[in-house]
Amino acid sequence: MTESWQKQLIPVRNQLLAKKSNPNVVILGIGNEVKGDDFAGSLAAKSIQASLPQHTESFSVSVFDCGPVPENFTGVIRKISPDYILIIDAGDFGEDAGEIGFFSWKKAEGSEISTHALPLSLFSGFLAAELDCEIGLLLIQPKNLSYLDPVHPLISEAVNKISSEIIKIFS
């Protein structure tokens, strides 16, 4: 079991605030709505978008539901010039379905924890090099990635946890 993802995100939040006032944070939800639990990242992004104001007292937050093709958002992300990017996605990191893990994109290098054609490590590495910012991966362990299956209730529960905690952390 990995260390509590919430406990790992709090220091990230604090480091951002220590570096500058009102840092730019980009949250990317990745997911494919026709592949069962793979839709988790998109669902989380939609939920966060609906509840987290773009500008809070402490942060400027931009949230994007990237669907299955996050690379299509690199132009808009570049314009924002983020200090930190948080990617939310379904990914197999060897835990029970619905578990949530927080990883540095560097730890994902060489592993295929993504459920997409373009590995998260490759996409994250491109963003880190291009934008000179830190990137974190918040992954939900999927149960079922079958075509046209619904999102499993354990995954929906994890999405709700992520949404509520992200709103607390970045408000």
Side-chain angles (χ1 to χ4, degrees):
M1 183 76 170
T2 58
E3 179 186 354
S4 164
W5 61 274
Q6 298 100 321
K7 288 182 181 175
Q8 290 175 291
L9 261 176
I10 296 296
V12 169
R13 175 194 192 279
N14 294 341
Q15 289 169 359
L16 286 168
L17 291 171
K19 286 182 183 177
K20 73 185 252 190
S21 63
N22 211 335
N24 287 324
V25 174
V26 169
I27 299 173
L28 305 175
I30 303 173
N32 189 332
E33 67 183 320
V34 298
K35 288 189 69 185
D37 298 340
D38 187 58
F39 197 41
S42 287
L43 288 174
K46 289 172 192 269
S47 178
I48 294 165
Q49 274 177 327
S51 301
L52 183 66
Q54 188 172 4
H55 298 284
T56 67
E57 192 172 305
S58 303
F59 293 93
S60 289
V61 182
S62 300
V63 183
F64 299 98
D65 171 10
C66 299
V69 199
E71 52 274 19
N72 287 348
F73 289 78
T74 55
V76 71
I77 295 167
R78 186 179 289 117
K79 288 179 185 174
I80 294 169
S81 187
D83 299 296
Y84 188 79
I85 298 173
L86 180 64
I87 298 173
I88 305 171
D89 195 7
D92 186 356
F93 54 100
E95 291 289 341
D96 293 332
E99 290 292 321
I100 302 165
F102 178 73
F103 306 90
S104 162
W105 75 270
K106 293 173 188 171
K107 278 197 167 186
E109 277 187 308
S111 70
E112 300 308 317
I113 58 176
S114 177
T115 58
H116 306 285
L118 180 65
L120 284 177
S121 59
L122 184 61
F123 177 64
S124 299
F126 168 78
L127 290 176
E130 194 70 22
L131 303 171
D132 191 32
C133 70
E134 288 297 314
I135 298 170
L137 306 175
L138 194 53
L139 301 176
I140 301 171
Q141 179 69 45
K143 181 166 180 71
N144 179 14
L145 300 172
S146 297
Y147 185 68
L148 295 180
D149 277 357
V151 174
H152 191 277
L154 287 172
I155 307 317
S156 294
E157 185 179 315
V159 165
N160 292 337
K161 282 181 195 172
I162 286 173
S163 299
S164 65
E165 287 298 317
I166 293 296
I167 290 164
K168 285 181 202 171
I169 290 170
F170 292 108
S171 286

